[in-house]
């Protein structure tokens, strides 16, 4: 990497360590945030100067001591549905981008690579004048914006082309990349789009699996339950999961890990289906890995995903996994026998029973190319393309 220069208000300081900057909304316990913290740790171990900049102070996830944490708050006054070019929301986000630019240049320096995560941040950074920005797409845009595309297709497409045409883009699955290209058409005149999978730090996950909380504290027994780890959100398919589970032989209890706005509704559904004695709600767990590692089976029932982080985490722990064949990540991580179409309640119930009765048939080894160092190097290589594109 080239030597960097940090332009502070008083001094020009040469920096020997390349600067990597991650930008995201907040350090909540979701897939995008796990990707950020995992990659940040990898870059820190490689000797880079690593920074995470958030728009909110919410922090559910711990950071290594050598990772620098920053907050640049943004105004949450307007609706993100207001996507007109000169809307109040657009003006507010343009102002946030300016604040981020000023903060980064004065407090961090000029980054070698900026990874902007999640749509809200991607929109804000479309107005940024900072160099070396890569938008990281963690989901399928056509699914994320399904309602807006149906209600205002031209306006939505125009807006998304502005957001994702501003910088190079990396998608966390090949399906998500193809979806982006199919939806937005030829934005490659100004933007290069690639696929870089999310990293999985198997060694770290395995070490966390040996720590607290012990499953006994939840009244669980080793390899005697099915686990589902996801926020209680419509896209995670909790309703389908409970309806399917109610149709199974229920040889093992179902354990749900996560929090979210639909939690009360899903608890009520468990009572309605008369399976509440077989379903356990454990809430959000900052360290879910002991619970995953001791599960007999992991099940993912999402309506759509960009990647499907819990799949590779289960693979790192040697836990069998089955999943809905949702757009787009799971089909790139699991064989066909481990997948069931979204919405097929009967099929999901049958697959759960089959997996419980033949657990070893549903164990898939972790792809070693997903280890953090491999993924970190891929982003660095892509960052060089970003630099070359800026010079042209």
């Amino acid at each position: 990497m080239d030597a960097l220069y940090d332009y502070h208000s008083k001094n020009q300081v040469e920096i020997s360590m390349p600067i990597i900057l991650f930008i995201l909304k907040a350090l909540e316990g979701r897939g995008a945030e796990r990707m950020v913290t995992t990659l940040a740790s990898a870059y820190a171990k490689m000797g880079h100067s690593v920074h995470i900049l958030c728009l909110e102070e919410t922090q559910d996830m711990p950071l290594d001591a050598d990772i620098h944490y920053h907050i640049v708050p943004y105004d949450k006054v307007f609706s993100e549905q207001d996507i007109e070019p000169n809307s109040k929301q657009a003006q507010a986000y343009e102002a946030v981008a300016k604040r981020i630019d000023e903060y980064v240049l004065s407090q961090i320096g000029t980054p070698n690579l900026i990874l902007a995560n999640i749509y809200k941040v991607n929109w804000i950074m479309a107005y940024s004048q900072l160099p070396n920005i890569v938008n990281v797409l963690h989901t399928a845009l056509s699914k994320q914006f399904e309602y807006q595309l149906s209600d205002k297709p031209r306006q939505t497409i125009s807006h998304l082309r502005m957001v994702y045409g501003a910088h190079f883009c990396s998608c966390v699955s090949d399906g998500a990349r193809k979806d982006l290209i199919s939806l937005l058409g030829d934005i490659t005149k100004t933007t290069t789009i690639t696929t870089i999978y999310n990293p999985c730090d198997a060694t770290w996950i395995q070490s966390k699996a040996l720590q607290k909380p012990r499953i006994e504290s939840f009244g669980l027994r080793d390899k005697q339950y099915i686990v589902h780890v996801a926020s209680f959100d419509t896209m995670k398919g909790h309703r389908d999961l409970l309806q399917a589970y109610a149709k199974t032989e229920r040889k093992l209890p179902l354990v749900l890990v996560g929090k979210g706005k639909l939690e009360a509704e899903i608890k009520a559904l468990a009572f309605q289906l008369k399976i509440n004695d077989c379903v356990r709600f454990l809430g959000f767990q900052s360290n879910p890995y002991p619970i995953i590692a001791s599960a007999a089976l992991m099940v993912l029932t999402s309506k759509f995903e960009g990647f499907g982080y819990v799949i590779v985490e289960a693979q790192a722990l040697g836990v069998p996994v089955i999943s809905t064949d949702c757009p787009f990540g799971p089909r790139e991580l699991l064989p066909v026998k481990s997948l069931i179409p979204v919405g097929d309640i009967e099929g999901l119930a049958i697959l759960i029973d089959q997996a419980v009765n033949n657990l070893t048939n549903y164990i898939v080894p972790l792809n070693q190319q997903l280890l953090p160092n491999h993924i970190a190097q891929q982003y660095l290589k892509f960052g060089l393309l970003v630099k070359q594109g800026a010079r042209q």
Side-chain angles (χ1 to χ4, degrees):
M1 289 274 184
D2 299 333
L4 301 175
Y5 292 88
D6 185 2
Y7 292 97
H8 291 282
S9 56
K10 295 182 179 180
N11 300 305
Q12 179 176 309
V13 183
E14 185 172 359
I15 299 203
S16 59
M17 293 187 294
I19 299 175
I20 307 294
L21 172 62
F22 297 87
I23 306 179
L24 70 166
K25 184 170 74 73
L27 279 174
E28 299 168 314
R30 305 190 184 207
E33 292 79 4
R34 290 204 295 281
M35 171 270 197
V36 166
T37 55
T38 300
L39 264 189
S41 295
Y43 283 124
K45 290 174 184 175
M46 293 165 64
H48 292 34
S49 176
V50 183
H51 301 259
I52 294 178
L53 187 153
C54 294
L55 307 177
E56 298 177 4
E57 293 187 8
T58 302
Q59 185 176 353
D60 295 331
M61 307 186 73
L63 292 176
D64 293 350
D66 48 1
I67 296 172
H68 306 281
Y69 180 53
H70 310 266
I71 299 290
V72 176
Y74 72 113
D75 300 321
K76 298 180 286 184
V77 178
F78 310 109
S79 169
E80 285 192 4
Q81 303 299 322
D82 190 6
I83 57 177
E84 293 290 346
N86 296 315
S87 68
K88 290 183 178 180
Q89 186 65 66
Q91 293 173 11
Y93 277 5
E94 188 170 3
V96 175
K98 184 176 180 180
R99 291 206 303 272
I100 291 174
D101 287 5
E102 292 173 350
Y103 180 92
V104 169
L105 292 176
S106 65
Q107 303 299 319
I108 298 174
T110 304
N112 283 63
L113 179 64
I114 300 173
L115 298 181
N117 298 266
I118 303 298
Y119 157 71
K120 182 179 293 184
V121 172
N122 300 151
W123 183 1
I124 290 170
M125 297 309 290
Y127 305 112
S128 173
Q129 300 302 309
L130 293 173
N132 309 325
I133 297 173
V134 173
N135 283 325
V136 182
L137 283 80
H138 291 267
T139 191
L141 285 184
S142 66
K143 296 297 182 181
Q144 182 178 0
F145 291 90
E146 191 169 16
Y147 171 78
Q148 295 92 327
L149 288 166
S150 175
D151 186 46
K152 298 180 179 179
R154 290 186 180 178
Q155 180 183 347
T156 303
I157 290 291
S158 176
H159 169 71
L160 292 175
R161 285 176 63 88
M162 182 279 293
V163 170
Y164 292 106
H167 307 295
F168 283 28
C169 296
S170 174
C171 302
V172 298
S173 68
D174 204 45
R177 181 186 66 83
K178 292 175 180 176
D179 177 74
L180 172 63
I181 294 171
S182 175
L183 179 64
L184 301 187
D186 185 14
I187 59 171
T188 57
K189 292 177 182 177
T190 55
T191 302
T192 295
I193 303 170
T194 192
T195 300
I196 301 178
Y197 290 109
N198 279 333
C200 180
D201 190 342
T203 301
W204 181 83
I205 289 171
Q206 290 159 7
S207 69
K208 294 291 284 185
L210 299 175
Q211 300 175 14
K212 295 180 179 180
R214 306 293 187 201
I215 62 168
E216 293 79 12
S217 64
F218 300 108
L220 302 174
R221 292 185 297 161
D222 189 47
K223 304 303 178 185
Q224 294 297 311
Y225 58 91
I226 301 166
V227 70
H228 179 271
V229 182
S231 57
F232 284 86
D233 186 272
T234 303
M235 66 170 281
K236 296 301 182 180
H238 287 85
R239 292 189 65 85
D240 287 359
L241 173 59
L242 263 61
Q243 289 170 354
Y245 179 71
K247 296 177 180 292
T248 68
E249 298 174 3
R250 278 179 268 165
K251 289 184 177 181
L252 299 175
L254 175 63
V255 173
L256 305 180
V257 179
K259 65 178 181 178
K261 58 185 179 182
L262 299 181
E263 184 173 355
E265 178 183 318
I266 299 304
K267 286 181 177 178
L269 178 61
F271 275 92
Q272 180 184 335
L273 295 171
K274 299 180 180 179
I275 57 173
N276 53 293
D277 58 333
C278 300
V279 181
R280 301 283 305 279
F281 292 80
L282 300 192
F284 172 78
Q285 299 293 324
S286 59
N287 179 19
Y289 301 112
I291 301 167
I292 296 173
S294 293
L297 175 70
M298 161 77 75
V299 58
L300 182 76
T301 54
S302 298
K303 305 290 186 182
F304 65 92
E305 287 281 354
F307 181 64
Y309 231 123
V310 293
I311 293 176
V312 296
E313 290 176 331
Q315 290 172 342
L317 295 170
V319 176
V321 189
I322 59 174
S323 173
T324 49
D325 187 17
C326 65
F328 287 97
R331 69 187 64 170
E332 298 176 41
L333 302 170
L334 294 171
V336 173
K337 70 176 182 180
S338 302
L339 301 170
I340 196 72
V342 174
D344 185 353
I345 305 299
E346 296 286 346
L348 178 58
I350 292 171
L351 181 57
I352 290 173
D353 279 337
Q354 287 177 344
V356 168
N357 292 328
N358 300 276
L359 291 169
T360 56
N361 288 347
Y362 294 89
I363 296 175
V364 177
L366 177 69
N367 181 348
Q368 297 300 295
Q369 293 302 308
L370 298 178
L371 295 178
N373 276 0
H374 291 290
I375 303 302
Q377 291 293 348
Q378 287 183 49
Y379 273 112
L380 291 178
K381 289 178 182 178
F382 192 54
L384 291 176
L385 288 179
V386 175
K387 286 186 175 183
Q388 291 169 5
R391 296 189 186 111
Q392 292 176 358

